[in-house]
């Protein structure tokens, strides 16, 4: 938990771009995977072992905690990798490991790295919390609990003074925003059965996101259903009842999205940062919630629902296979040079025209995700209203760009 006394806002980091976007927009902690042993092994470009020191360094500069996800099913041939990874994480100064397998938990304990219990273990009651408190300082509850049930657990932790290995009271973490799975806390076997590609090894083929029909095998009749995407839940969103979430006594709010782009991370983290800060300032209002929800809708989402936190009996299903975002980004070009003294950035336009007044996004491993509106634009050192494919253009930027940076134009969907 943050030293400010506020709940901890935990951000996803699938690569350095997303990590920097999280750091720039006010996260208190990040979680990330390294190579194959994490639940997003297939979905994103993961960090590698040699990245650990740089991850720790950048985050320590911002006083941000770092959590290594190591929560897949572990086989015997994985054990040596697990040990090496945890030793390297400890040496680099990574804060904790998020684990579900007892082998990982025990190896982390002997290595001396803090353990957080993954949602994959489906913790749903206080007695299970007591058991895992023998090994872990933070426990991520099952996604299927209501806020009333969460509150009962946090109250009992306080009442019974349940402490973790650190000697502090066990902290409770819940998911606050992002993609949901039709399976119980993500334990799904559809992908394994259909493609021999296990979701529980981070290689989900996302069968549930596809379109299906339902046919009675005895009669051959096709059943009429309201929605063809009957296994694809809408994304979880708790922002409009964030006050109730905080009042439930949780200490960590986790944002899902290690497979999402840096602009998604930037927007979602910034929005939840504003909302959390407003709650503690006493300025959390319905009017602000409306604005925040509009901001969240601009980036990738499958529509929003409140999960099981408010006690709904049935899920809410998305009505299309992709995103319902109100905005999209289109690739424009790449960074070429940055003139430090004049704060001028040069870009090569490779795909899409830009003009004054356009909203653009610039991303990169060090840059993160930066949005701005073009005010002045120069093409071949001449003031211009527009830059087209093949042009080299320059514009004034308050931040440095690198050769690896990309420019996108933000357009309405």
């Amino acid at each position: 938990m943050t030293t400010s006394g506020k709940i901890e806002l935990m951000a996803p980091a699938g690569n350095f771009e997303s990590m920097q976007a999280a750091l720039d927009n006010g996260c208190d902690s990040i979680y990330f995977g390294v190579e194959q042993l994490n639940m997003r092994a297939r979905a994103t470009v993961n960090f590698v072992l040699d990245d650990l020191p740089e991850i720790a360094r950048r985050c320590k500069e911002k006083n941000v905690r770092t959590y290594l996800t190591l929560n897949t099913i572990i086989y015997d041939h994985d054990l040596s990798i697990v040990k090496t990874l945890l030793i390297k994480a400890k040496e680099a100064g990574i804060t904790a490991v998020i684990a579900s397998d007892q082998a990982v938990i025990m190896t982390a304990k002997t290595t001396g790295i803090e353990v957080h219990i993954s949602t994959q273990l489906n913790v749903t009651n206080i007695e299970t919390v007591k058991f895992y408190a023998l090994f872990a300082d933070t426990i991520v509850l099952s996604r299927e609990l209501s806020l009333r049930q969460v509150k009962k657990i946090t109250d009992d932790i306080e009442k019974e003074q349940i402490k973790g290995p650190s000697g502090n009271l066990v902290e409770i973490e819940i998911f606050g925003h992002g993609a949901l799975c039709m399976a119980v806390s993500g334990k799904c076997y559809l992908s394994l059965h259909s493609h021999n590609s296990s979701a529980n090894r981070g290689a989900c083929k996302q069968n549930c996101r596809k379109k299906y029909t339902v046919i009675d095998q005895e009669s051959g009749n096709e059943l009429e259903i309201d929605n063809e995407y009957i296994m694809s839940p809408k994304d979880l969103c708790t922002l409009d009842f964030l006050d109730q979430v905080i009042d439930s006594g949780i200490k960590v709010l986790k944002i899902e999205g290690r497979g999402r782009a840096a602009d998604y991370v930037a927007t979602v983290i910034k929005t939840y940062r504003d909302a959390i800060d407003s709650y503690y300032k006493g300025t959390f209002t319905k009017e602000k919630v409306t604005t925040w929800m509009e901001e969240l809708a601009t980036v990738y989402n499958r529509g929003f629902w409140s999960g099981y936190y408010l006690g709904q009996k049935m899920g809410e299903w998305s009505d299309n296979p992709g995103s319902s975002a109100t905005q999209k980004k289109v690739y424009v070009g790449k960074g070429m040079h940055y003139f430090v003294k004049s704060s001028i950035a040069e870009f090569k336009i490779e795909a899409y025209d830009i003009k004054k007044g356009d909203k653009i996004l610039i991303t990169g491993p060090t840059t993160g995700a930066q949005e701005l509106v073009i005010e002045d634009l120069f093409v071949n050192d001449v003031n211009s209203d527009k830059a087209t494919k093949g042009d080299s253009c320059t514009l004034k930027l308050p931040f440095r760009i690198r050769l690896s940076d990309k420019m996108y134009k933000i357009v309405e969907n």
Side-chain angles (χ1 to χ4, degrees), residues 330-333 349-354 358 387-389 409 411:
V330 291
Y331 177 71
V332 171
I349 305 302
E350 296 183 321
Y352 202 86
D353 297 350
I354 55 170
D358 280 348
T388 61
K389 184 176 179 180
K409 182 176 178 179
V411 298

Side-chain angles (χ1 to χ4, degrees), residues 291-316:
T291 300
W292 290 325
M293 293 298 291
E294 290 174 353
E295 290 174 0
L296 290 175
T298 63
V299 292
Y300 192 102
N301 71 86
R302 296 184 178 91
F304 299 126
W305 75 298
S306 57
Y308 298 99
Y309 291 134
L310 300 181
Q312 283 94 335
K313 294 181 180 180
M314 294 295 292
E316 294 184 20

Side-chain angles (χ1 to χ4, degrees), residues 89-310:
K90 175 68 174 178
E91 290 174 350
I94 300 302
T95 308
V97 60
I98 302 173
S100 60
D101 192 288
Q102 291 297 327
V104 179
I105 293 170
M106 297 310 295
T107 304
K109 184 176 180 181
T110 58
T111 306
I113 188 167
E114 182 180 320
V115 173
H116 294 185
I117 295 300
S118 171
T119 192
Q120 309 302 127
L121 284 174
N122 299 106
V123 177
T124 57
N125 61 75
I126 193 62
E127 294 302 321
T128 307
V129 168
K130 289 179 184 177
F131 174 78
Y132 285 115
L134 297 171
F135 314 100
D137 289 294
T138 299
I139 296 174
V140 189
L141 296 183
S142 171
R143 301 181 199 180
E144 290 70 43
L145 294 181
S146 67
L147 286 181
R148 180 179 297 180
Q149 291 171 309
V150 173
K151 183 70 163 64
K152 176 68 167 59
I153 289 172
T154 60
D155 284 348
D156 285 346
I157 290 172
E158 183 72 35
K159 180 180 177 182
E160 301 184 36
Q161 290 292 290
I162 301 171
K163 298 179 179 180
S166 67
N168 299 318
L169 290 180
V170 169
E171 295 189 341
I172 292 301
E173 174 186 322
I174 65 172
F175 279 78
H177 189 92
L180 284 174
C181 178
M182 60 166 285
V184 176
S185 282
K187 287 186 175 179
C188 182
Y189 297 92
L190 281 176
S191 180
L192 177 65
H193 294 321
S194 64
H195 296 88
N196 195 31
S197 185
S198 176
N200 300 297
R201 293 278 288 178
C204 181
K205 293 290 189 179
Q206 296 202 323
N207 299 48
C208 61
R209 306 301 183 189
K210 298 175 182 178
K211 186 184 296 186
Y212 289 91
T213 57
V214 180
I215 298 175
D216 185 332
Q217 290 293 319
E218 292 185 3
S219 66
N221 292 329
E222 182 175 325
L223 303 183
E224 183 177 346
I225 53 178
D226 293 333
N227 185 0
E228 292 170 322
Y229 298 94
I230 57 173
M231 294 191 292
S232 181
K234 291 182 178 179
D235 286 357
L236 173 66
C237 180
T238 60
L239 192 138
D240 56 338
F241 57 97
L242 188 63
D243 51 346
Q244 297 179 58
V245 171
I246 297 175
D247 290 342
S248 72
I250 63 144
K251 302 299 183 184
V252 185
L253 188 70
K254 184 175 196 171
I255 306 301
E256 192 277 337
R258 280 185 292 140
R260 299 281 172 253
D263 58 305
Y264 172 92
V265 175
T267 298
V268 176
I269 294 302
K270 181 181 183 299
T271 304
Y272 273 85
R273 176 79 277 156
D274 290 346
I276 290 170
D277 291 347
S278 290
Y279 170 87
Y280 287 101
K281 291 176 183 176
T283 59
F284 188 89
T285 64
K286 289 182 178 179
E287 291 75 20
K288 284 188 174 182
V289 167
T290 299
T291 300
W292 290 325
M293 293 298 291
E294 290 174 353
E295 290 174 0
L296 290 175
T298 63
V299 292
Y300 192 102
N301 71 86
R302 296 184 178 91
F304 299 126
W305 75 298
S306 57
Y308 298 99
Y309 291 134
L310 300 181

